[in-house]
Amino acid sequence: MNHLVAGSLVVLAVLASWSARAAEPIEIFDAHLHYNWEPKPFYQPDEVLALFRKHRVTGILATSRPNTGTHVLVEGKPDGLQIVPFIRPYRIRPDIQTWFNDPTIFDLVQDEFKRGYYRGIGEFHLHGKAAESDWVKKLVDFAVANDLYLHAHSDAEAVEILVRHNPRARIIWAHTGFGLPADQVAAMLTKYPKLWGELSYRGGIVDGAGKLTPEWRALFERFPDRFLLGSDTWVPDRWASYGEIMAGYRAWLDQLAPDIAAKIAHGNARALFAAR
């Protein structure tokens, strides 16, 4: 084989490799995942891991109600999957309505934290002036003291109160205000540099034809480091449609510049949850 032919073959092999990588869907870090365990999970652990592999999900922010599901995922130590566990301050579903005034929930959080692997607290539901509770302030201060993120399913008022409790709090804003106008989202991100928006169930990102809306394109371009993706698998239907959820994200990520898309898809989460 002469040098010209050999060189051509090398070039072709490199191009083929690049083409194969380009054809792969962008990897996603799922920053809002519930593996609930009451009384048993919708999928067994091996089925969940297969689902992540199938849809090229390479990292998860793992929570569960109760925290048993998170224990199972973390202690399984699966290859090729970064698991970032958060403490869910719920034992049963009704705790959603009362946790912020319940001292036993603070005990639960402290006990779970002793496991030594948690990176945050949440997702928790908290709205309006309910965030002014003394027990919420204790939780926020505990998170700050122990280098933990807070994952808050909250309106803008509650987010602001959380920051007032302790300006050093780092908050992942579940659903980024749901339908809060984009200009108000921008104002929150500008005012609070330790606030990140997680985009499950977030309205207004695309129009009826699946095209990015101008206001959300502008948000992503202005704040490329401040958004995360999530599935919010809070009910079995969300697990059943997991592939569709990921495909929906990839459809509008493809409309962004590749560097911005990569940050939102996985880069921002990797940066937040890098090894300490």
Side-chain angles (χ1 to χ4, degrees):
M1 183 182 299
N2 63 42
H3 292 300
L4 180 60
V5 172
S8 299
L9 290 175
V10 169
V11 170
L12 288 172
V14 170
L15 290 174
S17 175
W18 286 348
S19 177
R21 282 199 296 271
E24 278 189 305
I26 190 168
E27 66 176 278
I28 287 178
F29 189 111
D30 185 345
H32 188 154
L33 184 124
H34 303 301
Y35 189 44
N36 290 333
W37 201 279
E38 45 178 5
K40 61 181 181 179
F42 182 66
Y43 287 129
Q44 291 303 306
D46 59 336
E47 295 175 300
V48 166
L49 296 176
L51 201 60
F52 297 150
R53 287 191 296 270
K54 179 179 179 180
H55 298 293
R56 207 173 181 228
V57 170
T58 56
I60 59 171
L61 192 165
T63 73
S64 68
R65 186 182 64 241
N67 288 285
T68 308
T70 302
H71 304 163
V72 169
L73 290 175
V74 170
E75 292 161 13
K77 298 180 180 179
D79 291 334
L81 181 70
Q82 181 183 3
I83 299 178
V84 178
F86 274 36
I87 302 168
R88 198 96 196 268
Y90 304 152
R91 299 152 301 195
I92 55 175
R93 185 165 176 77
D95 284 339
I96 291 173
Q97 308 299 328
T98 60
W99 73 271
F100 44 86
N101 283 317
D102 186 346
T104 66
I105 294 297
F106 189 61
D107 292 338
L108 178 156
V109 170
Q110 291 177 297
D111 288 343
E112 279 292 324
F113 180 70
K114 292 174 185 175
R115 290 179 176 268
Y117 50 58
Y118 285 106
R119 300 295 304 274
I121 302 170
E123 174 212 18
F124 53 77
H125 298 70
L126 190 66
H127 301 285
K129 290 185 170 43
E132 293 178 343
S133 154
D134 289 342
W135 290 106
V136 172
K137 176 165 174 50
K138 285 179 183 288
L139 187 86
V140 174
D141 288 340
F142 180 83
V144 170
N146 291 284
D147 194 25
L148 301 174
Y149 293 89
L150 297 167
H151 190 189
H153 175 133
S154 299
D155 55 11
E157 182 181 14
V159 170
E160 293 191 303
I161 293 169
L162 289 172
V163 178
R164 278 209 304 273
H165 282 320
N166 194 320
R168 294 168 57 205
R170 296 177 299 168
I171 301 169
I172 296 169
W173 193 7
H175 318 300
T176 316
F178 284 103
L180 191 73
D183 61 336
Q184 294 181 42
V185 172
M188 291 287 286
L189 294 175
T190 301
K191 186 175 181 181
Y192 302 115
K194 295 179 181 178
L195 178 67
W196 290 265
E198 180 272 310
L199 297 170
S200 61
Y201 283 108
R202 173 61 232 196
I205 295 175
V206 296
D207 62 20
K211 185 178 179 181
L212 270 174
T213 58
E215 58 268 27
W216 274 89
R217 178 183 292 278
L219 265 181
F220 293 143
E221 291 174 349
R222 182 179 172 189
F223 301 100
D225 301 321
R226 304 288 291 282
F227 291 102
L228 309 169
L229 305 181
S231 60
D232 193 5
T233 48
W234 67 287
V235 289
D237 282 353
R238 295 291 284 182
W239 281 111
S241 59
Y242 195 82
E244 295 171 26
I245 295 167
M246 296 302 127
Y249 282 135
R250 289 185 172 108
W252 61 254
L253 286 169
D254 280 346
Q255 300 172 47
L256 291 167
D259 59 332
I260 295 176
K263 286 183 176 183
I264 295 170
H266 56 85
N268 294 337
R270 299 283 185 206
L272 290 182
F273 305 128
R276 290 182 290 197

